[in-house]
Amino acid sequence: MTQSIGIGGPRLSAIGAIGQTGTTPGTLAGQAMTVLANRVAGTVTCELGLAQGGRAPLRPGDAYGTAEVAQGLAASLGASPADAGRLSRALNDFTSEVASLVAASPTSDVLDRLSGLGYALLDPDGPPGMSDSDKVVATIDSAIFQLREDPTRTDR
């Protein structure tokens, strides 16, 4: 049985499992994805009338503040300008995927899928030779892949 999200504000504790604490590339990626997933879910559920309150979008062109999160992540990693662009694109893709999922099916099942990401992401150490930015992009891509999988599939 699915039920509506019914949150009481833009902060969602159910999504907290994505973001662990720490400073490894994997945990930094998880923290960035948690912030964005919370912003998306809070905004979409308020817009659909499933939750009271909330706040206006952060910016007209960047409703979820993805650019701000990407800049913070790039700064934390000491990323080059090219890597900062890759991180920004990866986070935009993640944000789009989350927004699509939440808007298409604003149920607790979607929150369960988001919170379950923390257990299915790429090993934070990654293969030898990867830069921290490469590891973060790979972690975000792994999360997007997990979100795109059919949740009703039983042959895993």
Side-chain angles (χ1 to χ4, degrees):
M1 175 174 147
T2 59
Q3 56 186 342
S4 17
I5 294 172
I7 58 171
R11 185 88 184 131
L12 303 175
S13 59
I15 299 176
I18 299 173
Q20 306 294 323
T21 57
T23 58
T24 65
T27 57
L28 291 173
Q31 292 165 11
M33 289 186 291
T34 298
V35 167
L36 292 172
N38 284 333
R39 288 177 181 176
V40 169
T43 300
V44 171
T45 55
C46 287
E47 288 296 319
L48 293 174
L50 299 174
Q52 301 277 330
R55 62 178 182 196
L58 301 174
R59 288 181 206 100
D62 185 14
Y64 308 115
T66 308
E68 167 199 356
V69 173
Q71 288 171 353
L73 183 57
S76 295
L77 295 168
S80 69
D83 285 340
R86 290 176 50 232
L87 292 168
S88 180
R89 282 188 297 279
L91 286 174
N92 277 316
D93 290 346
F94 173 78
T95 304
S96 294
E97 191 66 29
V98 171
S100 296
L101 280 172
V102 174
S105 179
T107 64
S108 59
D109 291 346
V110 171
L111 288 182
D112 289 344
R113 288 181 67 195
L114 289 170
S115 66
L117 283 177
Y119 305 108
L121 298 178
L122 179 74
D123 178 356
D125 294 332
M130 288 180 79
S131 71
D132 286 348
S133 294
D134 291 337
K135 292 175 188 176
V136 169
V137 170
T139 300
I140 295 167
D141 287 346
S142 173
I144 293 169
F145 177 80
Q146 293 296 322
L147 289 175
R148 288 181 179 163
E149 273 197 333
D150 182 358
T152 61
R153 215 176 95 199
T154 58
D155 63 337
R156 293 179 219 194

